[in-house]
Amino acid sequence: MALDFLAGCAGGVAGVLVGHPFDTVKVRLQVQSVEKPQYRGTLHCFRSIVKQESVLGLYKGLGSPLMGLTFINALVFGVQGNTLRALGRDSPLNQFLAGAAAGAIQCVICCPMELAKTRLQLQDAGAARAYRGSLDCLAQTYRREGVRGVNRGMAATLLRETPSFGVYFLAYDVLTRALGCEPGDRLLVPKLLLAGGTAGIASWLSTYPVDVVKSRLQADGLRGAPRYRGILDCVRQSYQAEGWRVFTRGLASTLLRAFPVNAATFATVTVVLTYVRGEEAGPEGEAVPAAAAGSSLAQPSSL
C-alpha cells in the first residue's frame, strides 16, 4: 500500500501538470452561454485565455487537483488492487468491477475538488475575482450553501466516475497484455504511454455526456440565479436549448488532454513501482528478480 501511495502520487502530479491547461479549456467550452458564446472552438478558447490572462490563465484552479491528488491516487490504486484481490481472480469483468469500485469511492474527494476547480477556472481575472484559491472557494461555498453546496454534482460525479474507472483499468489491462509490456523490453516506456493514453481516451468517451452535466451543475449559480433543479432538469434544459451536440461540447479539448495525461500517469506509476520493486533486496540481499519486480506490468491491477 505504501508503494501504491507513492507511485499514485507521482503519477497524479505528472498527469495534473500535463493536462490542466486542456481541462481549463474544456470547462470553459462546456459552460459558456449558447446565446452569447465567448469562444468559437478549442483553439480559439486556448488562444483567448493566453492573450487575455497569460499562460497562467490556463493553470487557474491548479491548486485544487494538486491538493486532492494525494488522497485520490491513494484511494484509486489502493482500492482497485485490494478489490481485485478480494474478488479472487484476475479477469476482464473483475478488472472492470475493481476499477468501478475505486472510481465510486474517490468521488468523496473528487467532487468538492472539481467544484473548486471549476469555479476557479470560470472566475474573472484581476480585482473582480471572487476566490483567492481552492480552500477559499470551498470555504465560501460552505458558508453560503452548507455541506450540500460543497458536494454539488455528487450524483453526476458518481455516474461519471464509477463506469469510467472500470473502463479505464480494463482498457489498460487489455492493452498492456496485447502490447506485451514486459520488464526489460527496450520499447517498454513507449508501450506504457500508448496503453495509458488510449485507456484514458476510452474512459472519457464512455461517460463524457455525464461530465458536461456535472460541469454545468457545479457552475450553476456562479453568474446569476441557479437554473437547474437536478441532473434530469439539467439534461432536459440543455437539450432543449442546444440540441444533442451540447453533450459533446469540449470533447476535442478533453481527448487532446486525455492521451498525454493518462499516458504520463500510468507510465509514471508503472515505472516507479517497477524501479522501487527492482531495488528491493531479497532474503539474501540480492535484488528481486525482474519477473517478480515487473509483475505489475503484466497485471496492472497489482499496482
Side-chain angles (χ1 to χ4, degrees):
M1 286 295 291
L3 292 182
D4 293 345
F5 182 82
L6 172 66
C9 289
V13 170
V16 169
L17 292 178
V18 168
H20 194 77
F22 295 100
D23 188 70
T24 299
V25 172
K26 179 205 74 170
V27 169
R28 293 200 181 189
L29 288 171
Q30 284 180 338
V31 302
Q32 70 175 342
S33 169
V34 65
E35 292 87 6
K36 298 178 180 179
Q38 188 175 356
Y39 309 111
R40 295 191 299 271
T42 300
L43 285 177
H44 180 248
C45 181
F46 186 89
R47 290 172 181 167
S48 297
I49 293 171
V50 173
K51 183 178 179 180
Q52 296 168 12
E53 306 170 44
S54 80
V55 174
L56 294 179
L58 295 169
Y59 284 92
K60 276 186 174 179
L62 179 66
S64 182
L66 280 178
M67 276 195 316
L69 73 89
T70 298
F71 303 102
I72 285 177
N73 281 276
L75 281 172
V76 166
F77 287 97
V79 170
Q80 194 269 347
N82 280 288
T83 302
L84 193 70
R85 285 189 286 272
L87 291 171
R89 190 167 65 92
D90 183 9
S91 67
L93 176 59
N94 287 349
Q95 284 280 358
F96 178 86
L97 293 175
I105 290 176
Q106 59 93 40
C107 287
V108 176
I109 298 169
C110 176
C111 182
M113 181 194 79
E114 293 206 351
L115 175 80
K117 174 184 68 65
T118 298
R119 295 192 170 193
L120 286 167
Q121 287 171 328
L122 295 173
Q123 75 172 345
D124 297 323
R129 65 178 187 170
Y131 310 114
R132 296 190 301 272
S134 301
L135 289 177
D136 182 54
C137 177
L138 291 174
Q140 288 193 43
T141 303
Y142 177 76
R143 284 197 294 270
R144 288 195 307 267
E145 306 173 47
V147 175
R148 187 173 182 178
V150 171
N151 288 287
R152 177 179 291 185
M154 178 64 79
T157 304
L158 276 167
L159 287 173
R160 183 194 71 177
E161 299 290 81
T162 303
S164 70
F165 267 86
V167 171
Y168 190 42
F169 280 98
L170 172 61
Y172 185 73
D173 179 64
V174 169
L175 287 166
T176 50
R177 293 177 191 274
L179 292 170
C181 296
E182 298 294 340
D185 185 345
R186 63 187 180 88
L187 296 177
L188 176 61
V189 172
K191 287 180 179 180
L192 292 175
L193 291 172
L194 177 61
T198 306
I201 288 176
S203 172
W204 273 109
L205 286 174
S206 68
T207 58
Y208 189 77
V210 183
D211 184 67
V212 175
V213 174
K214 180 202 71 71
S215 293
R216 292 194 160 207
L217 288 172
Q218 291 185 326
D220 192 30
L222 191 60
R223 296 173 179 172
R227 298 174 54 191
Y228 309 120
R229 296 191 299 272
I231 294 174
L232 293 178
D233 185 53
C234 180
V235 171
R236 182 181 60 79
Q237 288 195 44
S238 298
Y239 178 76
Q240 288 178 347
E242 304 170 56
W244 65 269
R245 289 184 182 276
V246 68
F247 301 111
T248 63
R249 183 181 287 181
L251 181 60
S253 167
T254 300
L255 296 183
L256 283 173
R257 166 182 175 264
F259 192 92
V261 167
N262 292 287
T265 299
F266 257 127
T268 301
V269 168
T270 307
V271 169
V272 167
L273 283 174
T274 302
Y275 175 78
V276 173
R277 286 171 177 167
E279 292 295 315
E280 288 176 348
E284 297 181 2
E286 297 180 356
V288 175
S295 61
S296 60
L297 300 181
Q299 298 185 32
S301 58
S302 65
L303 296 176

